């Protein structure tokens, strides 16, 4: 299933969201709190936002920069410079390949019918209604 903005979704499993503490009380205090907040599987809502994220390393960013330089200006470069650039791109190619094979992380913001909003939640917690 592909999630998209505006899609009606249902939570597929129970979620425990954390301890509830009275306002003005430090949340880090041991033993403090009035309980915890949970959302039950089956609660429905609407997707408000999708975020796709695949973090890039410095090597990946450098590969993209050098590859773009090679593609755009390589034909104008002196042969020795072009060869050196091709070697640099080649040495960064394993990092680029690993990046492309890495699973895309999809997070969503869902506004539930009961008024709660869950943000930055993994997309695989939801199914279309």
């Amino acid at each position: 299933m592909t999630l998209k903005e505006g899609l009606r979704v249902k939570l597929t499993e129970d979620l425990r969201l954390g301890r509830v503490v009275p306002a003005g009380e430090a949340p880090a205090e041991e033993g403090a709190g009035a309980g915890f907040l949970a959302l039950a599987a089956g609660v429905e809502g609407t997707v408000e936002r999708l975020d796709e994220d695949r973090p890039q390393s410095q090597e990946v960013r450098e590969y993209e920069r050098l590859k773009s330089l090679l593609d755009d200006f390589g034909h104008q470069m002196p042969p020795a410079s072009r060869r050196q650039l091709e070697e640099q791109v080649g040495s960064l190619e394993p990092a680029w390949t690993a990046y492309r094979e890495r699973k895309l992380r999809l997070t969503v913001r869902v506004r539930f019918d009961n008024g709660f909003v869950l943000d930055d939640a993994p997309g695989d917690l939801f199914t279309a209604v």
Side-chain angles (χ1 to χ4, degrees), residues 76-93:
Q76 299 172 351
M77 294 178 157
S81 296
R82 180 181 169 87
R83 194 173 325 106
Q84 182 181 12
L85 187 56
E86 287 171 343
E87 289 172 5
Q88 288 176 323
V89 168
S91 71
L92 294 169
E93 205 146 322

Side-chain angles (χ1 to χ4, degrees), residues 6 9 16 20-21 28 30 35-36 40 42 44 49 59 63 68-69 79 85-86 92 106 108 110 121-122 125:
V9 292
R16 181 176 175 168
V20 177
V21 296
E30 189 61 34
F36 67 91
E44 296 181 4
R49 186 180 70 236
E59 292 172 320
Y63 173 87
S68 176
L69 183 65
L85 187 56
E86 287 171 343
L92 294 169
L106 175 70
V108 295
V110 174
L125 290 176

Side-chain angles (χ1 to χ4, degrees), residues 9-35:
V9 292
K10 177 172 48 173
L11 189 60
T12 59
E13 56 187 82
D14 292 344
L15 295 182
R16 181 176 175 168
L17 302 175
R19 286 192 339 196
V20 177
V21 296
E25 200 173 295
E29 291 180 22
E30 189 61 34

